[in-house]
Amino acid sequence: MDLNQQVRSYWEQGPCGTDKGIVGELEPLSLEWFEQIEAHRYAVEPFIHSAVQFTRHHGKTMLEVGVGAGTDHLQWARAGCVCHGVDLTEAAIETTRARFALYGLQSALQRFDAETLPYADATFDLVYSWGVIHHSEDPARIIAEIHRVLKPGGRFIGMIYGRRSPAVFKLWARYGLLRGRPWRSFADIVWHHMESIGTKSYTPAETSGLLGAFRSCAIRPIMTSYDLASWPAWIGRLFPERWGWFITFDAAK
Ligand SMILES: C[S@@+](CC[C@H](N)C(=O)[O-])C[C@H]1O[C@@H](n2cnc3c(N)ncnc32)[C@H](O)[C@@H]1O
């Protein structure tokens, strides 16, 4: 099985943010289920709104790469964008379709591996992708595709995982140190133990390199609740923002 088939089978088990620990016994695809997913997402990742600023992009034609359960996709639609979305899995596309139908919103959704996007050159004003590209076999290829489908001056906004972060350190302590294999690199730990197999992780400088084809790019790592959980608060306060697990970016073509 090639890597993206393995990635797909992992995420077909359920889009991220929909597990029982979050939704409990709520009826899947019901309004209550979706509202709980949304409430939980912005409680644990409140910075998404300031990092992305959905409503600033009112009226734009946008594509989301890796819609997952469609929580952010809903914000793009509510912000008055003309929405298109792809995801590697049927589970994500069907969940997002059901969600949009329930809220009476529109999006052109397709199951597609974003390493080859089914759109003409210069189609979109904006492409958004939050926590997706690092899962794919060839992230650089997805970025080249995103660059191609963006109009000149169009924006690519998103997030990929940072490697030198407390979140990854904790994973290393668990799967490297405590298993008697402290020599395992952070990159190897993320590859094998962060969600689907083959997950990549980056430094801010590597992120900048990955987005090198863009005319300009602002990069901002964010210290997340996942980084800060399980340390005393005073230790967490010593962590510089640049160690944040989420590396957000806003690039212009
Ligand atoms: C961690 S989830 C993030 C989903 C959503 N963006 C969010 O923030 O909740 C990763 C998603 O990326 C999708 N994905 C992974 N590789 C992909 C690819 N090559 N093309 C399209 N989607 C992909 C997975 O199917 C999964 O839905």
Side-chain angles (χ1 to χ4, degrees):
M1 228 202 274
D2 76 15
L3 185 65
N4 278 3
Q5 281 176 293
Q6 296 180 65
V7 172
R8 181 177 173 192
S9 23
Y10 178 91
W11 293 108
E12 286 291 10
Q13 295 165 44
C16 62
T18 64
D19 41 278
K20 283 264 190 258
I22 294 169
V23 293
E25 295 307 317
L26 294 170
E27 177 68 22
L29 308 185
S30 65
L31 184 64
E32 296 72 25
W33 190 77
F34 283 123
E35 300 263 296
Q36 172 56 24
I37 289 167
E38 184 172 357
H40 180 267
R41 179 177 185 80
Y42 300 119
V44 294
E45 300 183 20
F47 44 77
I48 292 180
H49 289 288
S50 60
V52 181
Q53 304 196 14
F54 302 97
T55 52
R56 277 186 185 241
H57 303 284
H58 174 84
K60 288 186 182 164
T61 299
M62 69 84 58
L63 167 68
E64 180 166 353
V65 169
V67 292
T71 313
D72 290 351
H73 207 55
L74 199 66
Q75 314 311 316
W76 290 110
R78 286 173 174 160
C81 292
V82 178
C83 293
H84 300 252
V86 294
D87 198 284
L88 191 56
T89 68
E90 206 61 59
I93 294 302
E94 287 312 316
T95 303
T96 304
R97 270 205 188 116
R99 195 169 196 167
F100 271 56
L102 202 59
Y103 286 87
L105 294 166
Q106 305 289 324
S107 176
L109 296 159
Q110 302 187 63
R111 195 196 78 72
F112 240 92
D113 182 337
E115 292 193 14
T116 313
L117 288 172
Y119 308 102
D121 297 358
T123 302
F124 298 102
D125 302 308
L126 189 150
V127 177
Y128 175 69
S129 188
W130 190 266
V132 172
I133 290 164
H134 46 236
H135 292 300
S136 204
E137 177 148 21
D138 190 348
R141 203 165 143 190
I142 298 188
I143 291 171
E145 277 293 86
I146 289 173
H147 190 272
R148 179 183 69 74
V149 301
L150 271 173
K151 294 176 185 170
R155 303 255 293 270
F156 175 30
I157 297 174
M159 178 278 284
I160 55 178
Y161 290 161
R163 187 167 63 250
R164 295 179 188 153
S165 60
V168 174
F169 175 84
K170 287 187 282 186
L171 214 57
W172 169 82
R174 180 170 169 196
Y175 292 104
L177 189 64
L178 292 177
R179 296 202 179 173
R181 302 177 67 199
W183 54 85
R184 288 186 72 188
S185 68
F186 279 21
D188 177 50
I189 292 283
V190 173
W191 181 282
H192 288 98
H193 305 290
M194 187 68 85
E195 302 165 330
S196 48
I197 186 81
T199 304
K200 273 66 87 187
S201 53
Y202 301 88
T203 63
E206 288 165 356
T207 307
S208 192
L210 208 53
L211 296 166
F214 287 80
R215 183 168 49 81
S216 67
C217 181
I219 291 183
R220 183 162 78 97
I222 294 181
M223 187 61 67
T224 67
S225 54
Y226 313 106
D227 291 299
L228 296 171
S230 64
W231 308 91
W234 69 269
I235 293 191
R237 279 195 287 276
L238 301 175
F239 297 155
E241 206 68 22
R242 68 173 187 280
W243 288 359
W245 181 34
F246 285 7
I247 300 183
T248 67
F249 53 82
D250 182 344
K253 177 171 172 179

